[in-house]
Amino acid sequence: MSKTITTQELAKLTAGGDDYIRTKLNVVKGLALRMDLNPDAPDAVVFGKGPRVEGRARLFLESGAVVPAYVKRGVNKWEYLGLFRTTEIRYDKETIEYHLGNRKPEEVAGVLFLASVEEPKIAMIGGGFPDAATRKEIEDAAIKHVTNSLKKDGFQVDDRQNENLGYDLLAIKDTVTRFIEVKGTDNPEPRFFITRNESKFADENSEWFIYIVCMARRSPQLHVFTGREMRQKFSFSPLAWECNLAE
């Protein structure tokens, strides 16, 4: 359910000021974002140069703060997006240019990547689902296998797992770009879970691919599908539903 507030109400909730990262006594209190300056918000937030602006970006990351995020939807109208934390800051040229929007590259210092703390995280325990430690081993083995395979094929590979973008690896070779979601399993046949964010990115980007590594920890076997092929070849069965009050 959407919730909007006025600029005055926003100031009370986020310690005032006009910065996109609102702080009080060196504590991050909230985010006030504009889509014209940050078209990929709230997942990615571009920040400018200067000691104060860059310092607040680092403070947000290093403090581990969880804060409310608002985006401007019109004159004196701000929409509440939820609670977010920072997962990573990137300063490289390629990342800045990808999320730049209408800004000039020389005005931008870096990009903050945010993750919603309200996004459902469903742990599958028992019934054939591995425990957390085993899942991590499988995921790491799958990422390693896919990364090595892509590099052998001449791709440059950038790990984006911590950025909550809807894919794990950015692979580039000449004019070819692939946004790759990696899934690992110890089973001999492809089986995986896909999040709402991954599904949305797959539907919106023709360069999205899913790389499924079967028998990831023993004898890795790689299966590659485009987003469209994934929809055609796999059945999707919901394990849970997110429920909100109806308007």
Side-chain angles (χ1 to χ4, degrees), residues 18-21 23 48-59:
D18 57 3
D19 291 320
Y20 75 103
I21 297 181
T23 64
K49 296 181 178 180
R52 188 180 72 168
V53 176
E54 294 180 51
R56 290 192 177 193
R58 290 192 299 270
L59 173 66

Side-chain angles (χ1 to χ4, degrees), residues 74-166:
V75 177
N76 202 32
K77 186 177 182 180
W78 296 82
E79 180 185 356
Y80 174 68
L81 300 179
L83 297 174
F84 289 82
R85 63 179 177 85
T86 300
T87 60
E88 188 176 4
I89 294 178
R90 295 182 71 95
Y91 299 95
D92 59 282
K93 179 181 177 182
E94 292 78 10
T95 299
I96 290 174
E97 290 181 347
Y98 184 79
H99 296 283
L100 194 59
N102 294 327
R103 293 194 179 189
K104 298 179 180 179
E106 61 270 19
E107 298 175 350
V108 174
V111 182
L112 275 170
F113 291 94
L114 310 182
S116 170
V117 301
E118 299 172 328
E119 181 73 14
K121 296 184 184 298
I122 303 168
M124 306 303 172
I125 301 174
F129 296 108
D131 57 61
T134 302
R135 289 200 305 271
K136 184 66 166 59
E137 288 182 9
I138 294 171
E139 291 169 4
D140 289 347
I143 287 288
K144 181 178 180 180
H145 181 74
V146 171
T147 299
N148 290 339
S149 177
L150 287 166
K151 288 182 176 179
K152 286 181 181 178
D153 288 340
F155 282 90
Q156 293 183 333
V157 183
D158 192 6
D159 192 325
R160 300 294 182 89
Q161 293 181 82
N162 294 327
E163 300 175 20
N164 192 38
L165 297 174

Side-chain angles (χ1 to χ4, degrees), residues 28-43:
V28 181
K29 294 294 186 178
L31 300 173
L33 307 171
R34 287 171 44 186
M35 297 304 292
D36 58 328
L37 298 179
N38 286 288
D40 297 323
D43 295 325

Side-chain angles (χ1 to χ4, degrees), residues 207-218:
E207 296 85 7
W208 186 93
F209 290 79
I210 186 166
Y211 281 50
I212 308 168
V213 184
C214 295
M215 297 185 290
R217 295 186 297 170
R218 293 173 290 163

